[in-house]
C-alpha cells in the first residue's frame, strides 16, 4: 500500500496544497473555489475508468446542472480571471480528484483515520525541504499568524480530511461524496459576505439554488452498481 499512500499524500496534500496556494495567490477566493469545484466531474470520470462506476441518466443531468450552477456563481464573483491562476486551479482540481479515487481504494481495507494519518505522514516527508524556511517564518510571524496556521492545520486539514475519508468509505460510490464539492463556491460567497460585509449578488442565490437542487436530485437518484 505504500505507493498508493505516497500518491495519496502527494495528490491530496503535498503537491495539491502547493498548487492550490499558488493559484489562490493569483485569483480571488470565489473564483478559486469555482474552478476547484469542477473536481466532482473529474472524479466521476476517473472513478468510471477505475471502478467501472456508472451514473444514471438523471444523476448525469444533475451533475451537469450543478456545474451550471457553479458557472452562474462565477459570473457573480468578479468573473473568471484569465491567466496562470486558472491553470494552477485546474491542476488542483485534477489532483484532488485523483486523491478522491485513491481514498476510495485505500479505505476498503483500512480505517479512515489510518489512511489520513499515513497520507499526512507521506506529505510531510515530501515537504521536508520546506523546513528551514518554515523555521525562519515562524520566528518572524506574529502570535495571531501562528494561531491561524494552527487553526488551518487542525480544522480545514486534519479534521476535514478525516471526515472526507470517512465519507468516502461509507459512500456507495465515489461521486456520492465528491458532488458535495459543488457547495464550496456557494459557501465561499457566503463567508465573503459575513467576513467582508459584501452583499452577494442575485447570482449567488440563483447559482446556490441550482447547486442545492442538483445535489438533492443526485442523492435521490443514486448510482448504478459497478458492472461485473
Amino acid at each position: 500500500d505504500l505507493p498508493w499512500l505516497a500518491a495519496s499524500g502527494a495528490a491530496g496534500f503535498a503537491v495539491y496544497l502547493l498548487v492550490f496556494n499558488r493559484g489562490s495567490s493569483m485569483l480571488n477566493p470565489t473564483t478559486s473555489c469555482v474552478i476547484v469545484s469542477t473536481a466532482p466531474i473529474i472524479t466521476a470520470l476517473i472513478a468510471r475508468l477505475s471502478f467501472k462506476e456508472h451514473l444514471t441518466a438523471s444523476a448525469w443531468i444533475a451533475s451537469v446542472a450543478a456545474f451550471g450552477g457553479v458557472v452562474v456563481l462565477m459570473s457573480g464573483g468578479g468573473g473568471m480571471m484569465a491567466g496562470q491562476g486558472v491553470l494552477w486551479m485546474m491542476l488542483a482540481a485534477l489532483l484532488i480528484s485523483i486523491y478522491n479515487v485513491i481514498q476510495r481504494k485505500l479505505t476498503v481495507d483500512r480505517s479512515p483515520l489510518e489512511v489520513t494519518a499515513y497520507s499526512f505522514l507521506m506529505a510531510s516527508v515530501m515537504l521536508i525541504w520546506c523546513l528551514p524556511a518554515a523555521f525562519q517564518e515562524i520566528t518572524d510571524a506574529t502570535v495571531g499568524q501562528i494561531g491561524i496556521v494552527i487553526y488551518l492545520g487542525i480544522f480545514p486539514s486534519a479534521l476535514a480530511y478525516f471526515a472526507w475519508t470517512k465519507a468516502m468509505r461509507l459512500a456507495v460510490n465515489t461521486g456520492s461524496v465528491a458532488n458535495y464539492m459543488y457547495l464550496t463556491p456557494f459557501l465561499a460567497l457566503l463567508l465573503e459576505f459575513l467576513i467582508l460585509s459584501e452583499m452577494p449578488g442575485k447570482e449567488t442565490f440563483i447559482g446556490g439554488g441550482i447547486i442545492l437542487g442538483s445535489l438533492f436530485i443526485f442523492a435521490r437518484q443514486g448510482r448504478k452498481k459497478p458492472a461485473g
Side-chain angles (χ1 to χ4, degrees):
D1 288 338
L2 287 178
W4 288 110
L5 289 169
S8 175
F13 302 99
V15 181
Y16 169 75
L17 291 176
L18 291 175
V19 170
F20 180 83
N21 288 339
R22 178 66 173 172
S24 295
S25 67
M26 302 177 181
L27 302 172
N28 62 61
T30 301
T31 303
S32 298
C33 291
V34 166
I35 299 172
V36 173
S37 289
T38 59
I41 293 178
I42 301 174
T43 299
L45 293 175
I46 298 175
R48 182 172 184 177
L49 294 174
S50 302
F51 305 126
K52 300 186 183 301
E53 296 182 5
H54 295 282
L55 283 168
T56 63
S58 297
W60 271 115
I61 293 173
S63 295
V64 174
F67 183 72
V70 170
V71 174
V72 173
L73 281 176
M74 183 180 64
S75 67
M80 178 70 73
M81 296 178 61
Q84 296 184 5
V86 175
L87 297 178
W88 282 109
M89 280 301 171
M90 286 303 299
L91 178 57
L94 174 61
L95 287 169
I96 201 65
S97 299
I98 294 173
Y99 172 81
N100 289 337
V101 176
I102 293 174
Q103 294 303 291
R104 180 74 175 170
K105 173 181 176 59
L106 289 174
T107 53
V108 172
D109 301 318
R110 299 186 179 277
S111 70
L113 180 59
E114 185 178 8
V115 173
T116 304
Y118 276 110
S119 297
F120 266 118
L121 177 61
M122 291 293 184
S124 298
V125 173
M126 294 175 189
L127 294 175
I128 199 167
W129 58 273
C130 299
L131 201 57
F135 278 125
Q136 180 61 44
E137 292 177 359
I138 288 176
T139 58
D140 296 336
T142 65
V143 175
Q145 291 171 334
I146 294 176
I148 291 175
V149 171
I150 293 174
Y151 166 82
L152 290 173
I154 296 175
F155 295 99
S157 296
L159 293 180
Y161 274 93
F162 169 73
W164 189 261
T165 304
K166 180 72 172 180
M168 282 292 180
R169 185 182 188 183
L170 296 176
V172 176
N173 290 281
T174 311
S176 301
V177 177
N179 256 36
Y180 282 90
M181 291 183 71
Y182 285 122
L183 287 171
T184 306
F186 179 56
L187 295 174
L189 281 175
L190 289 180
L191 288 173
E192 283 188 332
F193 168 66
L194 294 175
I195 296 173
L196 302 177
S197 299
E198 296 180 357
M199 177 62 69
K202 62 181 180 180
E203 294 86 357
T204 303
F205 302 99
I206 297 174
I210 293 173
I211 293 171
L212 291 173
S214 300
L215 288 172
F216 177 76
I217 294 173
F218 188 92
R220 285 181 61 86
Q221 290 298 322
R223 289 179 155 221
K224 294 180 180 179
K225 294 182 180 180

